[in-house]
Structure formats: structure tokens, C-alpha cells
Amino acid sequence: MTEETPGFEEKPDVPSGATPDDAEPKAAAPSEEAAAAPAGDTDPTVGLTAQLDQVRTALGERTADLQRLQAEYQNYRRRVERDRVTVKEIAVANLLSELLPVLDDVGRAREHGELVGGFKSVAESMETIVAKLGLQQFGKEGEPFDPTIHEALMHSYAPDVTETTCVAILQPGYRIGERTIRPARVAVAEPQPGATPAAAKEEKTDDEESGGTEEV
């Protein structure tokens, strides 16, 4: 049995030609990432600022979407209300159009003095109801002829008019608000061709009289 000599430590084998330093382990060199890392901690406010900008951008987009939806809703409400009013006006106009012949009969009966007794009461009640629904009668003798609301059924010439004039109302017109249900059917008269209007005659006469009294 071989005895170990105290005081001697067993060393690893060193290859021939190698220096003693090669036998010792070398400490690992620090990595480039570790060397490039900043010594101090990163400023936390930079990340918070970026997050705040993102939140502000998202909030602006959502606000714009909400405003657009509100505008579309308001336009929808106005369109629905306008359509509702239009439909109501059309329905009322269609109903009253069916009653116009009856109103014409009532008018003719009143002109001939036949609107008496119970018939008079019923006629007046009906006229009150249609007036509440907005029905208005128009058309008067002597008013200028307007082709948008008048329908000329008869034509003549007259020396005492200065423009095309309604000289007789053959059938009154009716309207609801600005909507004309039926034009007034009228007889019109135009100035006599080549005739001097009455107003011009009067003006000429006045000029002659004033000229005759003028002193020389």
C-alpha cells in the first residue's frame, strides 16, 4: 500500500508546451449587452407619457364617433317628423278633396237662399269642422289673375281693367296652408287691345286741365 506524501497536492496534467497560466480557468468576460446597459434605471415618465398619448388619441376617436352618431340621430328625428307632418297633410288633403263637391252644393244653396232649417245647421257644422282641419277658401272678384292659384275658364276684354283680372268666380278654390287642393275657377278679362287704360285717361285729363289754367 502506497502512502501519500503529505504537503503535496495533486495538480492537473498540463500538456507539453503550455504555460502554467493556461491551466488556470479564466473568468468569463462581460457580454456586450451587459456593457451597453445603462448604469441607472430608465425614467418611468417616458412610458407613462406614451400611454397617456394613446389614451388621448382613443378618447378623441370615441368622441368624434359619438358626435357623428348624435348628428345622424338628430337628422333622423327631423326627417321622421317632417315625413310625419307631410303624411298627415296628404291624408287630410285627400279627405277634404272628397268633400269639396258637397261644399260647392252648400255654397250654391246659400246663394239661392235654399240653406234653411236642418240643412243649414248641418252645412254650418261641416264648414266649421273643415275649417278646423285647416281648409281655406280663396278667390274673389277683382283680384289679379294668378295662374298658380287660378284656372281661367272664360276669357273676355274690358276697357276698365289695366291687367288680367278675375271678373267672376265660377268655383272657389281651396287650400290647406301653402298646399292648393283646388285652384279657383274664374272668368278673366284683359285690357281692350288699343284702348287707353282708365288710369292713363284720368292722368291725361288732369294734365290737360292743369295746362289750360297755366298763365303765360
Side-chain angles (χ1 to χ4, degrees), residues 11 13 21 46 54 67 84 93 101 119 124 134 144 146 196 202:
K11 295 183 179 180
D13 295 336
D21 294 338
V46 176
Q54 293 178 355
Q67 292 174 346
R84 186 185 67 82
F119 178 50
E124 291 177 347
D146 185 352
T196 303
E202 293 179 359

Side-chain angles (χ1 to χ4, degrees), residues 10 71 97 100 136 172 194:
E10 187 175 343
S97 297
L100 295 185
Q136 299 176 354

Side-chain angles (χ1 to χ4, degrees), residues 77-117:
R77 287 187 59 185
R78 285 192 290 266
R79 185 169 60 253
V80 169
E81 180 64 19
R82 183 173 60 251
D83 293 344
R84 186 185 67 82
V85 173
T86 302
V87 170
K88 180 181 178 181
E89 290 179 351
I90 293 175
V92 172
N94 291 337
L95 172 62
L96 295 178
S97 297
E98 299 297 328
L99 295 176
L100 295 185
V102 180
L103 294 176
D104 292 336
D105 293 339
V106 171
R108 284 190 289 268
R110 182 178 285 112
E111 291 176 358
H112 292 85
E114 299 175 356
L115 197 62
V116 294

